[in-house]
Structures are given as structure tokens and as C-alpha cells.
Amino acid sequence: MNLNIDQIRGLFPVLHQEVHGKPLIYFDNAATTQKPKAVIEALVNYYELDNSNIHRGAHALADRATRYYENTRESVRDFINAKESAEIIFTKGTTESINLVALTFGRKFIGKGDEIIISTLEHHSNIVPWQMLCEEKGAILKVIPINEAGEILFEEFEKLLSPKTKLVSIVHASNALGTINPVKKIIDAAHLVGAKVLLDGAQSTSHLEIDVQDLDCDFMAFSAHKLYGPTGLGVLFGKREVLEAMPPFLGGGEMIKEVTFEKTTYNDIPFKFEAGTPNIADVIAFKAALDFIKNLKKSEIKAHEDELLAYANELMKDIKGFIPVGTAQDKVSVLSFNINQMHPFDVGQMLDARGIAVRTGHHCTQPLMKRFGIEGTVRASFAVYNTKSEIEQLAEGVARIARLKNK
Ligand code: PLP
């Protein structure tokens, strides 16, 4: 089956507008993807028809809202092939999911002299929580180096592993460069020394088939808004036995079995980690995003995006002054680059004037930028609704901007 991109674009209202008098070309998908009509309608329907608090109500609306909320949990389970829906915890996003693990698993199981391994490719949200934990506990943060292409050096990773390693927390696909890490190998090696593994799936889940049972990761964190779903919502997957051994995250309603002034007993997973009224509307609408992806099939989405990335590379490679950043063999559809002697932000603004939305700067990966000796990049990231004609316009824009500089 070949995807009908025109038909897919018809499902995204936001794409059909002009910016600075030019048709919008949206290449900022690694920051957040646009939302199909079905997601927007699910949000409206919830507030118009079903709005109610969940889990505790004795009435029809509460019953309906609870059912829809739990249906999404089951869809997420299916999306990543978790064993059971109790292993799916709703959070505010990848950032909160990682912090949850740091503040519960980390505080309980990581102590003085223990080691946590991350990589040079990490987003700040997979660096800072571990630095904070290390500071609190006297643990040590180790960093896997990368090569010039932006690929981790696996042998160096193996050298870092030891019985002191308690956690390997690693990005599945880099937001700044697009590199796909060999996570299966990483997980297997980490397990050999008894370490747990957290995968930051913020950028991988929209492009790659995910099977957490096959990967055998202990945790996986990702965000709905990068998956054609609503903002302010994310997921933490954790293996049942690991989640059960962890203390709760926030205290409050829903996460308890019984409260007395003397003692509180905690609820079963996943509710133990979902204190308070959750983001009900967005959870319910997220199912429409997951259905959208499932209907198209990830493999078809990836094939289309790979074609766009290859086409962009082909059109841009000979532009004088074009400097690609991140040339890994295995990549998701992220094209990071600089134009010789130009500030990325200026390039971004000039592209914006042509209706082309890209992201510029350090992409919340300052240590990675430092590794390449640069301040930042221009990043064009592609999604299923992007077209070859849009890539041609990007290449034409970049060529013109580079020519201006070379004059
Ligand atoms: N990790 C990666 C690789 C990301 O790309 C992002 C967001 O850009 C995050 C984590 C943080 O995601 P969020 O801001 O949705 O919590």
C-alpha cells in the first residue's frame, strides 16, 4: 500500500493556511506534530458530551469517561506491545515520565557510588533529572561518547558498564540529529550487569515499531504531542515488577487504597502513580491519534519519511556552504544542518519568511552541540503529511540563503 498523502493532509486542518503570504510548510515535527481532525473532534466531543471525573462516579457520564480513559490505556498498551495495561502510566510528558523514574526508582534504588549511564545524544530532560539525583545521592553520571556522524561508540559503552551501573537511560532516537540508537544491544548489555534500562522514546515512537517486550526495556517514556496527539500528556511504561517495587510519585487522591491519619496504603499500579484528577480529555483524545497511526501503519509512515529524508539529503548535499550535522547510518527523519558562517536563527527566520517552519538552536541538547563545537543547528523534521514538493521548496530556500552569504 502506498500512502495517499493528499488525503492524509486533508485530515489536518492547521496545514491549510498561509504564513507571511506563503502556503505553510511545517517542518517542526520533532518539536510537536500537528493534530488530525479526529483528535480535535474527540476533545470537543468529550467536553460537549462526556465531561466528568473518572473512576469514582456512580453516574452514567463518569462511567463513560472512565471507560474512554481506560480504552486509551489499552490502546497505548497495544501501541508498544506491553504485556498489560497496568504497566501504562499517564504523565504530563516524556519529561515528567523521566523525572518520575528519577524520583521514585532512583531515590529508592540508587545510592552513593552507584552509576547511571546516559549518552552524549541526550535531551536535557534525560540529563538534568539524573544530575539532580546524583547530587542528592552521591551517585555518578557517566556519558557514552559518540563519533563524528553522531553515533554512540558501543565499545565505549561496554567499558562503562560495571556492577556499579544501576541504570542506563538512553534516547531511542535523537531529536537533534535523528540518530537511532542500537537499543536492543544496549539493553541486553546493561541487563548482563544487572542494570535497569529506561528508553527515551520521545522521538522514536512516531516513526518506529515499538515492542517493549521484545526490547525488554524496563521503562519507556514518550509524549502524546509528538505522536499526533494532544499536548500536556505523556506515558511512562514500566515492567510490572519494577513499578511494584517503586514507591509512589505524588501523594493524593486516586493513588491510595486506604488513608488513616496514622498510615496510608497505596493503590495498585498504574493508579499508584496517577495521583489527583488526570488529564482526562487529552487521554481520551489521544486514542484517536493512536488509531490514526495504526490505520496508516508505522512501516508505511517510516518508508514515506525515509524517502523525504533521502530526497532532502540529495537536493541539499551540493549546496555550497551547506553543512549537515548528524550523518548516522540509521536515522529518523530529522535533517540538522548549518549554513556556513550564518547563525541558525537567521536561517530559520529567512525560511519562515518563505512559509517554512523549522526549529533552530540547541534543541535542548547543549552538551551535544558542544561536542560538535557549534552553538546550534537548523532542524527540519518530517512527518507523514509532508511532501516531496515541500522538500524541494526547502532546498530552494536553503540554496538561496546560502548564495546570499556566499556573495
Ligand atoms: N526527549 C527527547 C528526545 C525529546 O525530543 C523531547 C522533546 O523535544 C523530550 C525528551 C521532552 O519531551 P516533552 O517536552 O514532551 O516532555
Side-chain angles (χ1 to χ4, degrees):
M1 179 184 90
N2 256 344
L3 296 178
N4 182 339
I5 304 300
D6 272 351
Q7 197 179 35
I8 291 170
R9 290 179 69 80
L11 303 175
F12 289 80
V14 79
L15 295 177
H16 308 282
Q17 61 175 294
E18 293 199 339
V19 171
H20 308 307
K22 305 273 175 10
L24 168 68
I25 296 179
Y26 187 78
F27 284 154
D28 197 15
N29 295 289
T32 196
T33 51
Q34 299 299 347
K35 322 303 171 199
K37 235 183 283 180
V39 170
I40 301 164
E41 279 167 4
L43 274 174
V44 172
N45 282 344
Y46 168 73
Y47 283 120
E48 285 189 352
L49 302 172
D50 309 314
N51 178 52
S52 181
N53 212 328
I54 53 171
H55 291 143
R56 292 170 291 259
H59 58 86
L61 265 61
D63 198 41
R64 222 152 55 211
T66 304
R67 197 153 22 91
Y68 295 157
Y69 183 92
E70 291 304 327
N71 282 349
T72 303
R73 203 189 302 276
E74 171 53 26
S75 285
V76 174
R77 184 210 62 73
D78 179 57
F79 185 68
I80 59 171
N81 196 33
K83 216 183 270 174
E84 43 174 328
S85 61
E87 295 177 322
I88 306 299
I89 298 157
F90 290 118
T91 64
K92 281 197 305 212
T94 308
T95 304
E96 188 177 80
S97 298
I98 296 172
N99 277 274
L100 189 162
V101 176
L103 294 173
T104 59
F105 173 85
R107 275 195 176 146
K108 182 162 177 188
F109 295 108
I110 296 175
K112 194 168 166 54
D114 287 341
E115 295 178 356
I116 299 167
I117 299 178
I118 59 172
S119 81
T120 309
L121 292 165
E122 303 312 318
H123 187 279
H124 295 164
S125 61
N126 197 27
I127 302 173
V128 184
W130 308 118
Q131 287 175 330
M132 290 161 73
L133 182 73
C134 286
E135 200 171 323
E136 182 182 319
K137 293 286 184 173
I140 297 153
L141 194 62
K142 302 257 168 161
V143 183
I144 312 168
I146 56 170
N147 61 18
E148 277 303 306
E151 296 162 318
I152 64 151
L153 300 172
F154 191 79
E155 323 73 64
E156 298 299 319
F157 165 61
E158 284 182 308
K159 284 185 209 156
L160 294 178
L161 284 169
S162 82
K164 286 191 202 155
T165 314
K166 291 292 172 290
L167 181 74
V168 176
S169 189
I170 190 149
V171 72
H172 193 175
S174 155
N175 63 310
L177 308 183
T179 311
I180 301 172
N181 276 326
V183 289
K184 180 85 180 128
K185 257 167 74 178
I186 291 171
I187 293 164
D188 290 347
H191 283 166
L192 282 179
V193 298
K196 301 283 186 240
V197 182
L198 185 155
L199 288 186
D200 172 352
Q203 297 294 338
S204 61
T205 36
S206 62
H207 306 288
L208 310 176
E209 292 287 359
I210 307 288
D211 182 335
V212 290
Q213 291 186 73
D214 177 55
L215 287 169
D216 199 28
C217 54
D218 301 282
F219 301 105
M220 183 163 203
F222 53 100
S223 299
H225 71 98
K226 294 180 196 285
L227 277 167
Y228 308 99
T231 54
L233 174 67
V235 170
L236 175 68
F237 156 80
K239 282 182 186 164
R240 173 181 274 279
E241 63 275 19
V242 185
L243 292 177
E244 283 183 338
M246 283 156 50
F249 176 39
L250 303 173
E254 193 72 11
M255 51 76 73
I256 53 92
K257 265 201 179 121
E258 197 181 351
V259 179
T260 67
F261 284 120
E262 289 71 40
K263 187 176 163 52
T264 291
T265 50
Y266 303 127
N267 209 339
D268 297 328
I269 61 164
F271 309 111
K272 182 169 92 173
F273 296 104
E274 291 183 3
T277 301
N279 188 350
I280 303 167
D282 290 315
V283 168
I284 288 174
F286 186 31
K287 182 171 190 312
L290 295 171
D291 290 345
F292 165 77
I293 295 171
K294 194 169 178 176
N295 286 340
L296 295 185
K297 289 208 184 83
K298 283 261 192 85
S299 53
E300 298 283 336
I301 295 175
K302 174 88 168 43
H304 174 65
E305 293 168 340
D306 283 352
E307 205 179 321
L308 294 178
L309 182 65
Y311 193 45
N313 274 318
E314 180 58 30
L315 295 184
M316 314 259 252
K317 72 177 188 325
D318 295 327
I319 296 174
K320 197 168 161 223
F322 173 79
I323 308 164
V325 184
T327 49
Q329 282 286 321
D330 209 6
K331 278 181 67 160
V332 294
S333 48
V334 168
L335 180 71
S336 241
F337 62 94
N338 272 307
I339 295 181
N340 209 5
Q341 291 174 353
M342 284 195 77
H343 196 282
F345 186 73
D346 294 336
V347 177
Q349 283 211 310
M350 287 162 117
L351 288 172
D352 180 52
R354 306 172 78 92
I356 303 173
V358 293
R359 187 139 297 238
T360 66
H362 55 63
H363 316 296
C364 294
T365 57
Q366 280 181 336
L368 175 62
M369 296 296 118
K370 196 167 167 205
R371 159 65 179 79
F372 284 105
I374 55 179
E375 251 184 71
T377 71
V378 181
R379 181 186 72 187
S381 48
F382 313 129
V384 66
Y385 40 64
N386 289 127
T387 65
K388 282 188 150 182
S389 144
E390 290 179 321
I391 301 281
E392 284 161 10
Q393 289 172 68
L394 172 70
E396 192 190 314
V398 168
R400 280 196 178 227
I401 294 165
R403 264 205 303 277
L404 281 180
K405 194 68 198 174
N406 292 328
K407 264 190 184 158

